[in-house]
Amino acid sequence: MLSFGTMQPRQVLTQVLNFALILSTAFMLWKGLSVVADSPSPIVVVLSGSMEPAFQRGDILLLWNRGMDTKIGEVVVYNVKGKDIPIVHRVVRRFGGGDETLSLLTKGDNNLADDTELYARGQAYLDRSKDVIGSVVGYIPFVGYVTILLSEHPWLKTVMLGLMGVMVVIQRE
């Protein structure tokens, strides 16, 4: 097995720069998608079964946030004040629009009741311009399951980072 000790300083620097290039490219792609989609999080992973059968746990959703006229039946992703994880649910009611603030009521397809219990205290509806991250325009089935596994089993993160580190060290290009 190779280590940094057997590599020339130029090779070590090349490996470090390659790794930095990969990280910066991923970051730039994410930020570019954020600008194009007008969403702070243009790609999300479905974490629960509340939207089955439309979306399964582990599906990756592609979001678009340009155009604030959200229709009934549209699937939106929203943040709740005080909670970190975005929620993916369908719009079942809308109020206002035009010159007035557009307010939305959402519900998971697999849930019996609407989302008023999930909203922040004292909030009866979502404000389209403040709470909604984006509308779902596409999805990739089950690809995001890796994210779920990494969050449910933290030791897998360490294993994956270790494997990536070993690959950087032994790669000789």
Side-chain angles (χ1 to χ4, degrees):
M1 182 196 263
L2 297 173
S3 68
F4 281 119
T6 62
M7 295 175 76
Q8 298 294 323
R10 187 177 192 148
Q11 289 175 315
V12 172
L13 182 61
T14 301
Q15 297 300 336
V16 169
L17 289 176
N18 280 337
F19 188 67
L21 181 64
I22 290 168
L23 289 179
S24 63
T25 301
F27 179 74
M28 287 187 298
L29 285 172
W30 180 262
K31 285 300 177 184
L33 276 173
S34 294
V35 169
V36 169
D38 192 27
S39 175
S41 185
I43 299 172
V44 295
V45 176
V46 177
L47 299 176
S48 74
S50 67
M51 280 302 292
E52 290 178 0
F55 301 113
Q56 306 294 319
R57 193 166 184 247
D59 289 353
I60 288 184
L61 304 180
L62 309 172
L63 305 184
W64 187 256
N65 200 30
R66 297 200 180 268
M68 294 290 173
D69 189 33
T70 304
K71 307 278 189 234
I72 292 175
E74 197 170 319
V75 179
V76 296
V77 178
Y78 64 91
N79 274 332
V80 175
K81 295 171 190 87
K83 296 184 182 175
D84 294 335
I85 299 174
I87 299 172
V88 180
H89 282 169
R90 191 176 305 278
V91 175
V92 292
R93 276 200 157 147
R94 59 176 266 152
F95 306 94
D99 293 338
E100 297 178 40
T101 302
L102 179 58
S103 298
L104 306 172
L105 178 64
T106 56
K107 176 186 173 293
D109 290 356
N110 203 21
N111 294 349
L112 297 175
D114 61 41
D115 291 348
T116 51
E117 294 294 321
L118 298 176
Y119 301 158
R121 182 173 293 221
Q123 185 179 11
Y125 304 103
L126 297 174
D127 182 333
R128 173 61 177 93
S129 61
K130 294 179 185 171
D131 299 321
V132 176
I133 298 172
S135 298
V136 176
V137 294
Y139 77 101
I140 305 169
F142 300 111
V143 175
Y145 216 87
V146 173
T147 304
I148 294 173
L149 288 173
L150 291 175
S151 64
E152 289 180 353
H153 306 288
W155 60 270
L156 279 175
K157 289 179 191 176
T158 307
V159 170
M160 283 189 68
L161 286 173
L163 287 173
M164 288 177 8
V166 167
M167 294 303 291
V168 166
V169 169
I170 65 173
Q171 183 184 14
R172 287 202 162 250
E173 289 184 42

mmCIF file with all atom_site columns, all heavy atoms in Angstrom, residues 82-94:
data_model
loop_
_atom_site.group_PDB
_atom_site.id
_atom_site.type_symbol
_atom_site.label_atom_id
_atom_site.label_alt_id
_atom_site.label_comp_id
_atom_site.label_asym_id
_atom_site.label_entity_id
_atom_site.label_seq_id
_atom_site.pdbx_PDB_ins_code
_atom_site.Cartn_x
_atom_site.Cartn_y
_atom_site.Cartn_z
_atom_site.occupancy
_atom_site.B_iso_or_equiv
_atom_site.pdbx_formal_charge
_atom_site.auth_seq_id
_atom_site.auth_comp_id
_atom_site.auth_asym_id
_atom_site.auth_atom_id
_atom_site.pdbx_PDB_model_num
ATOM 1   N N   . GLY A 1 82 ? -37.956 26.906 12.585 1.00 0.00 ? 82 GLY A N   1
ATOM 2   C CA  . GLY A 1 82 ? -37.505 26.166 13.753 1.00 0.00 ? 82 GLY A CA  1
ATOM 3   C C   . GLY A 1 82 ? -37.169 24.712 13.494 1.00 0.00 ? 82 GLY A C   1
ATOM 4   O O   . GLY A 1 82 ? -36.749 24.003 14.402 1.00 0.00 ? 82 GLY A O   1
ATOM 5   N N   . LYS A 1 83 ? -37.360 24.219 12.276 1.00 0.00 ? 83 LYS A N   1
ATOM 6   C CA  . LYS A 1 83 ? -37.022 22.834 11.935 1.00 0.00 ? 83 LYS A CA  1
ATOM 7   C C   . LYS A 1 83 ? -36.026 22.832 10.784 1.00 0.00 ? 83 LYS A C   1
ATOM 8   O O   . LYS A 1 83 ? -36.080 23.661 9.895  1.00 0.00 ? 83 LYS A O   1
ATOM 9   C CB  . LYS A 1 83 ? -38.275 22.051 11.563 1.00 0.00 ? 83 LYS A CB  1
ATOM 10  C CG  . LYS A 1 83 ? -39.246 21.911 12.712 1.00 0.00 ? 83 LYS A CG  1
ATOM 11  C CD  . LYS A 1 83 ? -40.429 21.056 12.342 1.00 0.00 ? 83 LYS A CD  1
ATOM 12  C CE  . LYS A 1 83 ? -41.403 20.987 13.504 1.00 0.00 ? 83 LYS A CE  1
ATOM 13  N NZ  . LYS A 1 83 ? -42.618 20.277 13.150 1.00 0.00 ? 83 LYS A NZ  1
ATOM 14  N N   . ASP A 1 84 ? -35.109 21.867 10.801 1.00 0.00 ? 84 ASP A N   1
ATOM 15  C CA  . ASP A 1 84 ? -34.032 21.819 9.813  1.00 0.00 ? 84 ASP A CA  1
ATOM 16  C C   . ASP A 1 84 ? -34.383 21.060 8.542  1.00 0.00 ? 84 ASP A C   1
ATOM 17  O O   . ASP A 1 84 ? -33.829 21.315 7.490  1.00 0.00 ? 84 ASP A O   1
ATOM 18  C CB  . ASP A 1 84 ? -32.786 21.166 10.420 1.00 0.00 ? 84 ASP A CB  1
ATOM 19  C CG  . ASP A 1 84 ? -32.186 22.002 11.534 1.00 0.00 ? 84 ASP A CG  1
ATOM 20  O OD1 . ASP A 1 84 ? -32.401 23.224 11.533 1.00 0.00 ? 84 ASP A OD1 1
ATOM 21  O OD2 . ASP A 1 84 ? -31.508 21.429 12.394 1.00 0.00 ? 84 ASP A OD2 1
ATOM 22  N N   . ILE A 1 85 ? -35.284 20.097 8.632  1.00 0.00 ? 85 ILE A N   1
ATOM 23  C CA  . ILE A 1 85 ? -35.535 19.202 7.507  1.00 0.00 ? 85 ILE A CA  1
ATOM 24  C C   . ILE A 1 85 ? -36.709 19.707 6.669  1.00 0.00 ? 85 ILE A C   1
ATOM 25  O O   . ILE A 1 85 ? -37.794 19.947 7.195  1.00 0.00 ? 85 ILE A O   1
ATOM 26  C CB  . ILE A 1 85 ? -35.817 17.772 8.021  1.00 0.00 ? 85 ILE A CB  1
ATOM 27  C CG1 . ILE A 1 85 ? -34.595 17.258 8.779  1.00 0.00 ? 85 ILE A CG1 1
ATOM 28  C CG2 . ILE A 1 85 ? -36.178 16.848 6.880  1.00 0.00 ? 85 ILE A CG2 1
ATOM 29  C CD1 . ILE A 1 85 ? -34.792 15.940 9.453  1.00 0.00 ? 85 ILE A CD1 1
ATOM 30  N N   . PRO A 1 86 ? -36.500 19.886 5.357  1.00 0.00 ? 86 PRO A N   1
ATOM 31  C CA  . PRO A 1 86 ? -37.611 20.315 4.502  1.00 0.00 ? 86 PRO A CA  1
ATOM 32  C C   . PRO A 1 86 ? -38.649 19.209 4.352  1.00 0.00 ? 86 PRO A C   1
ATOM 33  O O   . PRO A 1 86 ? -38.337 18.024 4.477  1.00 0.00 ? 86 PRO A O   1
ATOM 34  C CB  . PRO A 1 86 ? -36.936 20.623 3.164  1.00 0.00 ? 86 PRO A CB  1
ATOM 35  C CG  . PRO A 1 86 ? -35.634 19.929 3.201  1.00 0.00 ? 86 PRO A CG  1
ATOM 36  C CD  . PRO A 1 86 ? -35.254 19.746 4.635  1.00 0.00 ? 86 PRO A CD  1
ATOM 37  N N   . ILE A 1 87 ? -39.881 19.595 4.079  1.00 0.00 ? 87 ILE A N   1
ATOM 38  C CA  . ILE A 1 87 ? -41.000 18.660 3.956  1.00 0.00 ? 87 ILE A CA  1
ATOM 39  C C   . ILE A 1 87 ? -41.514 18.694 2.524  1.00 0.00 ? 87 ILE A C   1
ATOM 40  O O   . ILE A 1 87 ? -41.676 19.759 1.934  1.00 0.00 ? 87 ILE A O   1
ATOM 41  C CB  . ILE A 1 87 ? -42.113 19.020 4.956  1.00 0.00 ? 87 ILE A CB  1
ATOM 42  C CG1 . ILE A 1 87 ? -41.567 18.922 6.387  1.00 0.00 ? 87 ILE A CG1 1
ATOM 43  C CG2 . ILE A 1 87 ? -43.326 18.122 4.772  1.00 0.00 ? 87 ILE A CG2 1
ATOM 44  C CD1 . ILE A 1 87 ? -42.489 19.427 7.459  1.00 0.00 ? 87 ILE A CD1 1
ATOM 45  N N   . VAL A 1 88 ? -41.793 17.510 1.973  1.00 0.00 ? 88 VAL A N   1
ATOM 46  C CA  . VAL A 1 88 ? -42.301 17.358 0.607  1.00 0.00 ? 88 VAL A CA  1
ATOM 47  C C   . VAL A 1 88 ? -43.762 16.953 0.693  1.00 0.00 ? 88 VAL A C   1
ATOM 48  O O   . VAL A 1 88 ? -44.060 15.837 1.129  1.00 0.00 ? 88 VAL A O   1
ATOM 49  C CB  . VAL A 1 88 ? -41.522 16.263 -0.155 1.00 0.00 ? 88 VAL A CB  1
ATOM 50  C CG1 . VAL A 1 88 ? -42.055 16.103 -1.563 1.00 0.00 ? 88 VAL A CG1 1
ATOM 51  C CG2 . VAL A 1 88 ? -40.040 16.522 -0.142 1.00 0.00 ? 88 VAL A CG2 1
ATOM 52  N N   . HIS A 1 89 ? -44.685 17.850 0.300  1.00 0.00 ? 89 HIS A N   1
ATOM 53  C CA  . HIS A 1 89 ? -46.106 17.528 0.315  1.00 0.00 ? 89 HIS A CA  1
ATOM 54  C C   . HIS A 1 89 ? -46.835 18.235 -0.815 1.00 0.00 ? 89 HIS A C   1
ATOM 55  O O   . HIS A 1 89 ? -46.317 19.167 -1.423 1.00 0.00 ? 89 HIS A O   1
ATOM 56  C CB  . HIS A 1 89 ? -46.740 17.872 1.663  1.00 0.00 ? 89 HIS A CB  1
ATOM 57  C CG  . HIS A 1 89 ? -46.430 16.857 2.723  1.00 0.00 ? 89 HIS A CG  1
ATOM 58  N ND1 . HIS A 1 89 ? -46.711 17.062 4.044  1.00 0.00 ? 89 HIS A ND1 1
ATOM 59  C CD2 . HIS A 1 89 ? -45.868 15.626 2.660  1.00 0.00 ? 89 HIS A CD2 1
ATOM 60  C CE1 . HIS A 1 89 ? -46.331 16.012 4.754  1.00 0.00 ? 89 HIS A CE1 1
ATOM 61  N NE2 . HIS A 1 89 ? -45.810 15.123 3.927  1.00 0.00 ? 89 HIS A NE2 1
ATOM 62  N N   . ARG A 1 90 ? -48.070 17.809 -1.059 1.00 0.00 ? 90 ARG A N   1
ATOM 63  C CA  . ARG A 1 90 ? -48.887 18.329 -2.157 1.00 0.00 ? 90 ARG A CA  1
ATOM 64  C C   . ARG A 1 90 ? -49.784 19.470 -1.673 1.00 0.00 ? 90 ARG A C   1
ATOM 65  O O   . ARG A 1 90 ? -50.311 19.430 -0.560 1.00 0.00 ? 90 ARG A O   1
ATOM 66  C CB  . ARG A 1 90 ? -49.742 17.190 -2.710 1.00 0.00 ? 90 ARG A CB  1
ATOM 67  C CG  . ARG A 1 90 ? -50.435 17.502 -4.006 1.00 0.00 ? 90 ARG A CG  1
ATOM 68  C CD  . ARG A 1 90 ? -51.191 16.282 -4.538 1.00 0.00 ? 90 ARG A CD  1
ATOM 69  N NE  . ARG A 1 90 ? -50.372 15.101 -4.690 1.00 0.00 ? 90 ARG A NE  1
ATOM 70  C CZ  . ARG A 1 90 ? -49.581 14.835 -5.737 1.00 0.00 ? 90 ARG A CZ  1
ATOM 71  N NH1 . ARG A 1 90 ? -49.496 15.714 -6.726 1.00 0.00 ? 90 ARG A NH1 1
ATOM 72  N NH2 . ARG A 1 90 ? -48.891 13.718 -5.799 1.00 0.00 ? 90 ARG A NH2 1
ATOM 73  N N   . VAL A 1 91 ? -49.974 20.469 -2.529 1.00 0.00 ? 91 VAL A N   1
ATOM 74  C CA  . VAL A 1 91 ? -50.863 21.591 -2.218 1.00 0.00 ? 91 VAL A CA  1
ATOM 75  C C   . VAL A 1 91 ? -52.315 21.117 -2.377 1.00 0.00 ? 91 VAL A C   1
ATOM 76  O O   . VAL A 1 91 ? -52.686 20.602 -3.440 1.00 0.00 ? 91 VAL A O   1
ATOM 77  C CB  . VAL A 1 91 ? -50.590 22.786 -3.160 1.00 0.00 ? 91 VAL A CB  1
ATOM 78  C CG1 . VAL A 1 91 ? -51.597 23.900 -2.924 1.00 0.00 ? 91 VAL A CG1 1
ATOM 79  C CG2 . VAL A 1 91 ? -49.166 23.294 -2.979 1.00 0.00 ? 91 VAL A CG2 1
ATOM 80  N N   . VAL A 1 92 ? -53.116 21.278 -1.314 1.00 0.00 ? 92 VAL A N   1
ATOM 81  C CA  . VAL A 1 92 ? -54.521 20.881 -1.372 1.00 0.00 ? 92 VAL A CA  1
ATOM 82  C C   . VAL A 1 92 ? -55.461 22.082 -1.359 1.00 0.00 ? 92 VAL A C   1
ATOM 83  O O   . VAL A 1 92 ? -56.630 21.962 -1.721 1.00 0.00 ? 92 VAL A O   1
ATOM 84  C CB  . VAL A 1 92 ? -54.891 19.904 -0.232 1.00 0.00 ? 92 VAL A CB  1
ATOM 85  C CG1 . VAL A 1 92 ? -54.188 18.570 -0.422 1.00 0.00 ? 92 VAL A CG1 1
ATOM 86  C CG2 . VAL A 1 92 ? -54.594 20.486 1.132  1.00 0.00 ? 92 VAL A CG2 1
ATOM 87  N N   . ARG A 1 93 ? -54.967 23.233 -0.940 1.00 0.00 ? 93 ARG A N   1
ATOM 88  C CA  . ARG A 1 93 ? -55.748 24.479 -0.950 1.00 0.00 ? 93 ARG A CA  1
ATOM 89  C C   . ARG A 1 93 ? -54.829 25.652 -1.166 1.00 0.00 ? 93 ARG A C   1
ATOM 90  O O   . ARG A 1 93 ? -53.681 25.622 -0.734 1.00 0.00 ? 93 ARG A O   1
ATOM 91  C CB  . ARG A 1 93 ? -56.460 24.678 0.376  1.00 0.00 ? 93 ARG A CB  1
ATOM 92  C CG  . ARG A 1 93 ? -57.743 23.967 0.496  1.00 0.00 ? 93 ARG A CG  1
ATOM 93  C CD  . ARG A 1 93 ? -58.521 24.626 1.597  1.00 0.00 ? 93 ARG A CD  1
ATOM 94  N NE  . ARG A 1 93 ? -59.910 24.341 1.370  1.00 0.00 ? 93 ARG A NE  1
ATOM 95  C CZ  . ARG A 1 93 ? -60.780 24.189 2.332  1.00 0.00 ? 93 ARG A CZ  1
ATOM 96  N NH1 . ARG A 1 93 ? -60.406 24.354 3.577  1.00 0.00 ? 93 ARG A NH1 1
ATOM 97  N NH2 . ARG A 1 93 ? -62.025 23.911 2.058  1.00 0.00 ? 93 ARG A NH2 1
ATOM 98  N N   . ARG A 1 94 ? -55.364 26.689 -1.784 1.00 0.00 ? 94 ARG A N   1
ATOM 99  C CA  . ARG A 1 94 ? -54.608 27.932 -1.943 1.00 0.00 ? 94 ARG A CA  1
ATOM 100 C C   . ARG A 1 94 ? -55.546 29.112 -1.715 1.00 0.00 ? 94 ARG A C   1
ATOM 101 O O   . ARG A 1 94 ? -56.712 29.056 -2.062 1.00 0.00 ? 94 ARG A O   1
ATOM 102 C CB  . ARG A 1 94 ? -53.907 28.008 -3.289 1.00 0.00 ? 94 ARG A CB  1
ATOM 103 C CG  . ARG A 1 94 ? -54.810 27.929 -4.469 1.00 0.00 ? 94 ARG A CG  1
ATOM 104 C CD  . ARG A 1 94 ? -54.090 28.110 -5.789 1.00 0.00 ? 94 ARG A CD  1
ATOM 105 N NE  . ARG A 1 94 ? -54.163 29.519 -6.157 1.00 0.00 ? 94 ARG A NE  1
ATOM 106 C CZ  . ARG A 1 94 ? -53.288 30.139 -6.893 1.00 0.00 ? 94 ARG A CZ  1
ATOM 107 N NH1 . ARG A 1 94 ? -52.264 29.499 -7.375 1.00 0.00 ? 94 ARG A NH1 1
ATOM 108 N NH2 . ARG A 1 94 ? -53.414 31.410 -7.185 1.00 0.00 ? 94 ARG A NH2 1
#
